[in-house]
Amino acid sequence: MKYDYLIVGAGLFGAVFACEATRKGKKCLVIDKRDHIGGNIYTYEEAGIQVHKYGAHIFHTSDDRVWRYINQFATFNRFTNSPMARFGDKLYNMPFNMNTFYQLWGVTTPAEAKAEIARQVQESGISKPKNLEEQAISMVGKDIYEILVKGYTAKQWGRPCAELPSFIIKRLPVRFTFDNNYFNDLYQGIPTEGYTAIVEKLLQGVEVKLSCDFFSNRTELEEIADRIVFTGMIDQYYDYCYGELEYRGLRFETETLDCDNFQGNAVINYNEYEVPYTRIIEHKHFAFGTQEKTVITREYPTKWERGQEPYYPVNNDKNNALYEKYRALAAKENRVIFGGRLGQYRYFDMHQVIAAALDCADQELR
């Protein structure tokens, strides 16, 4: 065997594992079917602006180990994620907080906001939420659901909220303070040199082969390493033997504009179902940019089909049960480790990917 590890995928999980294995003296080959490293956190420079090619990525964590680790490879600015939501011709603060409640109802105290939400929840008659729609209404009432949840979520997942699991909405914070910070985490920011620079540093001293599709060269690649770290789709690895897991796709429209400020915020959500995109990202605002031009990206959720890029696993009961079948196959593997959002079929934030990769490397390399 030429390598100790073949790592399929040059995203964050694969890069962290490769870095740790290389530090332990292991010889690694990292491959990726794309023509660049970094996976979905890949950034590139346009008009002096770091552009997030595959959507907004804001680093946040309360895990001291993860924060210390990532700071070996980057300096972070003080960016705070404070998205806005547009519905019709009005703008609302996100996540749901006292600013949002004031914009909706004119209330100025937490007691008034809680009373209005309680009134709407009682009026709904929902006691045991069975789906996302009922969960949202039971959390924040019908007004917020109709304006800030219903259309956006239906676009994002390609189905009505009444057909989605309730846990999705539970990730959204509800605050009775005038705090627009989306995350509660202790550490938050954007790397000043972009995310690609982090992955470049993680992969220093590691052999990397791009535009290399594992499945087009599977027989050859499986023979050159003792162990495989696979970060692609677990169902594809097993040739969809139990059927396809569901994913959501994304399409991005990015343009450079001859103005210095398009929307005044890094992220503005478009919550009406009739607007085909879910949000517009203005990349310069991640870094407090003062460039004469600006770069924006419209983000369109799409139905995923085999051969397209998968972005979000659809973790409903049906897909989770199917994944368990694939996970049982994976548990019997002697040579293959599955990692990352696609390999483990779950939604990971960046800090969770790093933690999972470090745990995997610790267990594998100790």
Side-chain angles (χ1 to χ4, degrees):
M1 295 293 184
K2 188 177 179 182
Y3 301 97
D4 297 300
Y5 291 96
L6 168 69
I7 299 165
V8 181
L12 198 51
F13 190 100
V16 169
F17 187 94
C19 179
E20 294 306 292
T22 302
R23 286 175 170 179
K24 291 291 181 74
K26 303 297 184 182
K27 190 173 183 182
C28 300
L29 171 64
V30 175
I31 66 169
D32 202 290
K33 64 181 181 181
R34 290 172 170 167
D35 62 0
H36 60 74
I37 60 173
N40 289 346
I41 68 170
Y42 172 73
T43 54
Y44 65 95
E45 188 171 309
E46 176 72 28
I49 299 163
Q50 284 292 327
V51 176
H52 299 211
K53 182 175 176 66
Y54 302 104
H57 286 83
I58 298 99
F59 195 89
H60 60 97
T61 187
S62 292
D63 187 328
D64 287 321
R65 176 185 66 149
V66 169
W67 185 244
R68 288 194 302 270
Y69 185 82
I70 200 65
N71 271 270
Q72 299 175 83
F73 310 101
T75 300
F76 286 82
N77 67 18
R78 58 172 183 82
F79 179 81
T80 300
N81 188 27
S82 303
M84 300 292 293
R86 180 166 180 163
F87 188 89
D89 58 355
K90 293 184 178 180
L91 287 169
Y92 301 90
N93 288 103
M94 295 286 289
F96 313 135
N97 66 67
M98 284 301 300
N99 289 305
T100 322
F101 308 144
Y102 173 74
Q103 290 154 352
L104 280 165
W105 307 314
V107 297
T108 58
T109 68
E112 291 173 324
K114 289 178 181 179
E116 179 58 26
I117 291 173
R119 184 191 67 78
Q120 293 188 21
V121 172
Q122 184 176 20
E123 196 175 81
S124 74
I126 298 169
S127 57
K128 294 182 179 180
K130 299 186 293 293
N131 52 54
L132 190 150
E133 178 177 288
E134 294 183 357
Q135 182 66 50
I137 293 172
S138 69
M139 285 171 58
V140 290
K142 190 173 182 180
D143 288 351
I144 290 178
Y145 169 72
E146 293 286 344
I147 294 172
L148 298 176
V149 176
K150 185 178 180 179
Y152 183 96
T153 306
K155 285 190 291 186
Q156 180 75 8
W157 294 103
R159 61 195 71 188
C161 292
E163 297 178 12
L164 291 167
S166 60
F167 76 86
I168 295 174
I169 195 69
K170 292 179 181 179
R171 298 179 70 246
L172 282 176
V174 179
R175 297 198 188 99
F176 293 94
T177 60
F178 290 91
D179 180 5
N180 297 322
N181 186 353
Y182 196 89
F183 302 118
N184 291 316
D185 287 309
L186 179 61
Y187 309 112
Q188 183 174 324
I190 303 288
T192 56
E193 296 180 353
Y195 286 103
T196 302
I198 293 177
V199 181
E200 287 174 347
K201 292 172 184 175
L202 283 165
L203 293 176
Q204 279 184 355
V206 180
E207 188 175 343
V208 178
K209 187 175 182 181
L210 300 175
S211 301
C212 179
D213 186 351
F214 173 78
F215 295 101
S216 298
N217 306 275
R218 183 167 187 164
T219 302
E220 172 193 345
L221 289 168
E222 286 182 329
E223 293 176 351
I224 64 174
D226 293 320
R227 302 273 279 165
I228 297 171
V229 177
F230 186 81
T231 68
M233 297 187 300
I234 189 171
D235 53 343
Q236 185 182 18
Y237 183 87
Y238 289 110
D239 197 25
Y240 308 102
C241 64
Y242 294 127
E244 288 183 358
L245 291 165
E246 288 184 271
Y247 304 87
R248 283 296 283 169
L250 290 174
R251 178 172 62 86
F252 304 97
E253 288 183 357
T254 299
E255 57 181 318
T256 302
L257 303 177
D258 196 18
C259 68
D260 66 343
N261 193 352
F262 175 74
Q263 65 184 16
N265 204 51
V267 179
I268 294 184
N269 295 345
Y270 283 74
N271 288 45
E272 291 170 286
Y273 186 79
E274 294 73 21
V275 178
Y277 44 85
T278 50
R279 59 185 179 176
I280 295 180
I281 301 162
E282 188 166 9
H283 301 269
K284 71 188 303 177
H285 295 309
F286 289 129
F288 319 107
T290 59
Q291 297 90 347
E292 293 182 359
K293 294 187 177 184
T294 194
V295 181
I296 65 168
T297 298
R298 291 179 179 87
E299 191 170 304
Y300 298 79
T302 63
K303 179 182 178 181
W304 178 85
E305 295 179 350
R306 195 183 297 191
Q308 297 177 341
E309 198 67 42
Y311 285 91
Y312 298 106
V314 181
N315 289 118
N316 57 19
D317 291 342
K318 173 188 170 185
N319 285 295
N320 289 341
L322 182 57
Y323 167 67
E324 285 302 314
K325 292 184 178 181
Y326 284 116
R327 193 169 71 87
L329 285 180
K332 298 175 184 177
E333 294 284 353
N334 294 319
R335 294 182 58 214
V336 186
I337 300 166
F338 294 88
R341 184 181 292 190
L342 305 180
Q344 294 175 266
Y345 197 69
R346 57 173 288 193
Y347 184 88
F348 278 121
D349 285 324
M350 286 180 286
H351 65 290
Q352 295 168 322
V353 172
I354 292 169
L358 288 174
D359 288 343
C360 179
D362 287 344
Q363 183 175 349
E364 176 71 13
L365 301 167
R366 65 187 175 192

